[in-house]
């Protein structure tokens, strides 16, 4: 138990007050990162990636509040350079397409006044980051996917064309390798479409 000062009347009780709980959560003793092991080593991070805490971002694309702020590809670059390795993409059907034009998936906070950016532009900025940081630990793209099938097919094409060899394709066993083996790669995280949708 963390020795917390400033809450003496509860020292003999068996539970934590809100103050003590807050101090415990923010304490170095509760940190997933061990500052004593800050130096890089080839002997680290060799277990499957699912064994580790991952620095994550929510609504990564927003420059401000979740109701009316601007969306920006620059926000992805900013959080990646700050060490974030799991970024969120809220993807929606964008500009209506015709037989002559391709679907344009967009990223925005649905049902709000936030601005829209193209999925393609975000993936290109992520590729740019990878090209400049080839040995970085893997990036996880967390998809909140609201797209219809034609837009999802276009997303798939963009991911393959832009990320190419950087896109991690899991083996049939579905077991994830270690962060060391996944350096410079992109992992897609999202919900799978139910097979029944295609069988209607």
């Amino acid at each position: 138990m963390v020795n917390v000062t400033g809450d003496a009347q509860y020292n003999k009780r068996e539970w934590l007050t809100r103050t003590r709980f807050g101090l415990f959560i923010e304490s170095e003793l509760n940190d997933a990162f061990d500052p004593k092991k800050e130096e890089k080593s080839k002997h680290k991070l060799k277990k499957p990636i699912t064994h580790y805490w991952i620095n994550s971002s929510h609504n990564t694309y927003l420059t401000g509040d979740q109701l009316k702020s601007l969306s920006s590809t620059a926000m992805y670059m900013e959080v990646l350079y700050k060490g974030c390795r799991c970024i969120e993409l809220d993807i929606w059907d964008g500009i209506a397409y015709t037989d002559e034009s391709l679907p344009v998936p967009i990223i925005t906070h649905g049902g709000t006044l936030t601005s829209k950016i193209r999925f393609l532009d975000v993936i290109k900025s992520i590729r740019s980051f990878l090209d400049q940081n080839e040995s970085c630990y893997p990036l996880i793209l967390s998809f909140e996917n609201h797209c219809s099938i034609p837009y999802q097919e276009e997303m798939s094409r963009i991911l393959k064309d832009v990320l190419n060899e950087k896109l991690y394709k899991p083996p049939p066993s579905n077991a994830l390798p270690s962060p060391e083996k996944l350096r410079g790669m992109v992992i897609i995280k999202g919900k799978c479409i139910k097979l029944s949708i295609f069988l209607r």
Side-chain angles (χ1 to χ4, degrees):
M1 182 61 68
V2 178
N3 184 15
V4 181
T5 59
D7 206 4
Q9 74 247 31
Y10 293 99
N11 282 343
K12 295 182 180 178
R13 300 197 181 177
E14 295 180 6
W15 62 84
L16 289 174
T17 64
R18 179 183 291 179
T19 302
R20 293 182 88 177
F21 179 72
L23 290 170
F24 171 70
I25 291 296
E26 295 176 1
S27 164
E28 284 184 5
L29 298 173
N30 194 44
D31 201 329
F33 175 71
D34 184 353
K36 293 177 184 173
K37 298 179 180 177
E38 186 174 2
E39 69 282 353
K40 293 183 179 177
S41 166
K42 292 182 179 178
H43 303 293
K44 293 181 189 175
L45 304 182
K46 293 199 171 182
K47 294 181 181 178
I49 194 169
T50 51
H51 289 212
Y52 299 97
W53 293 92
I54 298 171
N55 189 348
S56 303
S57 170
H58 178 64
N59 290 341
T60 311
Y61 48 91
L62 293 178
T63 58
D65 66 71
Q66 298 186 49
L67 296 176
K68 57 186 185 319
S69 65
L70 295 175
S71 302
S72 171
T73 57
M75 294 304 297
Y76 286 98
M77 297 298 276
E78 183 177 326
V79 299
L80 289 173
Y81 276 107
K82 286 182 176 178
C84 186
R85 289 296 172 262
C86 180
I87 54 180
E88 184 182 36
L89 291 79
D90 291 343
I91 315 158
W92 298 79
D93 288 359
I95 302 164
Y97 66 98
T98 64
D99 291 339
E100 292 81 32
S101 66
L102 294 171
V104 179
I106 58 166
I107 293 176
T108 189
H109 198 235
T112 68
L113 299 175
T114 57
S115 64
K116 302 167 178 60
I117 51 178
R118 295 190 314 162
F119 177 79
L120 173 61
D121 294 337
V122 172
I123 300 304
K124 282 182 175 179
S125 69
I126 291 166
R127 177 63 198 232
S128 174
F129 174 84
L130 288 170
D131 289 342
Q132 296 169 39
N133 301 273
E134 294 180 358
S135 63
C136 74
Y137 282 117
L139 307 183
I140 300 170
L141 308 188
S142 179
F143 283 4
E144 187 175 307
N145 187 358
H146 302 275
C147 291
S148 59
I149 298 301
Y151 287 84
Q152 290 187 48
E153 289 172 346
E154 178 61 9
M155 286 166 54
S156 176
R157 185 194 67 76
I158 290 169
L159 289 167
K160 290 174 186 173
D161 288 354
V162 176
L163 297 177
N164 201 353
E165 79 286 355
K166 300 284 188 184
L167 187 61
Y168 174 71
K169 299 173 185 76
S173 67
N174 237 4
L176 285 171
S178 71
E180 284 294 334
K181 290 185 178 176
L182 289 167
R183 279 183 181 271
M185 300 294 286
V186 173
I187 300 170
I188 305 298
K189 176 175 80 80
K191 293 182 179 177
C192 292
I193 298 174
K194 292 180 181 175
L195 185 60
S196 59
I197 292 174
F198 294 105
L199 299 178
R200 288 179 185 167

